[in-house]
Amino acid sequence: MFKIISKQQFSANVVKLEVEAPRIASSRRPGHFVIVINDEHGERIPLTIADADTKSGTITLVVQAVGESSRRICELEPGQYLHDVVGPLGRATEIRQGGTVVCCGGGVGVAPLLPIIKAMKQAGCKVISVLAARTKDLIILEEQVREYSDEVIIMTDDGSYGRKGLVTEGVESVLQREHVDEVVTIGPAVMMKFVSLLTKKYDVPTVASLNTIMVDGTGMCGACRVTVDGKTRFVCIDGPEFDAHKVDFDEMLMRLRSYN
């Protein structure tokens, strides 16, 4: 059993939970995820670790209520328990040493992006973060992102905060003005597809985290199959991060639509 220490409501369907998990907190690295089960009858939910505190022995998870199991997790309060938290799983992010990195996140994709931003900054990179959402209320973790970024660009679809426009417009404004060594993108698959198409045009190496397609999290179910550079890969064991320019996003989007 894993005790919930604190809870923050980001929006009607998104919460941040601080969970007591000392062994995971001590071994987790940016890019790692965990499998969470809310009770003995719950589904396996893969969630990327947004942060960890080795002193308090806690990990931070950002959960979006999409189905019944994730909704039940979001309804839990401090003092209550998650039945299981397994991890860390997946391959850790390759953190570059120095250079300029643009980290762009859409919606709850900012949560798994945060530890990468932090690690890149600590490795001596210049970090420019681009956060995007439909409205101001859906921008999350802005304060934490600002702490480890040299610059933060906010993009909202409706113009209620920051600049009005898509995440690609924010990224391109940086690519047009200065040299960028790498772009990291995490968010909805369609967002990552168009960020990838943009950066390919500018010949900038790009990493995409495909965690949104994971189900089982251990390579057993096969639901997270993706084609990368013409070969079949499993997001949960071969990723979740891949060279975005080699990912077949159209195939991935088609698979995601099958769950509708």
Side-chain angles (χ1 to χ4, degrees), residues 89-259:
L89 301 170
R91 295 179 179 272
T93 305
E94 292 184 17
I95 303 299
R96 67 175 298 114
Q97 304 295 311
T100 298
V101 180
V102 174
C103 296
C104 58
V108 294
V110 176
L113 191 66
L114 177 59
I116 298 173
I117 292 170
K118 183 177 180 180
M120 291 285 193
K121 183 61 179 175
Q122 292 174 339
C125 297
K126 177 183 178 181
V127 179
I128 302 170
S129 299
V130 183
L131 310 185
R134 294 193 306 274
T135 68
K136 178 182 179 179
D137 293 341
L138 298 178
I139 295 290
I140 66 170
L141 299 170
E142 180 187 349
E143 183 179 343
Q144 293 89 332
V145 169
R146 287 190 182 279
E147 183 178 354
Y148 297 101
S149 302
D150 294 275
E151 180 184 356
V152 176
I153 298 170
I154 306 288
M155 306 295 299
T156 52
D157 292 357
D158 63 359
S160 56
Y161 189 46
R163 306 181 194 174
K164 182 177 182 179
L166 302 175
V167 65
T168 47
E169 297 174 62
V171 174
E172 188 164 30
S173 69
V174 179
L175 297 178
Q176 288 177 337
R177 77 180 192 217
E178 63 184 282
H179 173 77
V180 172
D181 295 287
E182 185 178 34
V183 171
V184 180
T185 179
I186 308 180
V190 68
M191 183 204 90
M192 293 188 290
K193 171 187 174 179
F194 284 101
V195 169
S196 176
L197 290 172
L198 172 68
T199 58
K200 192 171 185 178
K201 183 176 71 173
Y202 284 87
D203 196 27
V204 178
T206 302
V207 174
S209 179
L210 310 185
N211 51 45
T212 56
I213 201 172
M214 290 191 297
V215 178
D216 174 79
T218 63
M220 297 296 289
C221 71
C224 68
R225 295 190 312 277
V226 291
T227 300
V228 181
D229 199 20
K231 299 177 182 178
T232 298
R233 293 288 183 260
F234 292 85
V235 172
C236 60
I237 55 175
D238 297 316
E241 296 168 7
F242 298 93
D243 181 337
H245 297 160
K246 296 180 179 180
V247 174
D248 187 337
F249 280 106
D250 290 332
E251 178 190 64
M252 179 180 171
L253 285 163
M254 182 172 62
R255 177 163 290 124
L256 284 169
R257 282 195 293 271
S258 69
Y259 295 109

Side-chain angles (χ1 to χ4, degrees), residues 4-29:
I4 295 173
I5 305 302
S6 68
K7 176 181 181 180
Q8 180 181 352
Q9 195 83 35
F10 282 144
S11 66
N13 296 315
V14 181
V15 301
K16 182 180 79 169
L17 300 176
E18 188 180 2
V19 180
E20 195 172 58
R23 293 179 65 182
I24 298 175
S26 65
S27 58
R28 131 293 175 203
R29 292 168 58 195

Side-chain angles (χ1 to χ4, degrees), residues 16 55 83 228 260:
K16 182 180 79 169
K55 291 183 179 179
H83 189 274
V228 181
N260 290 337

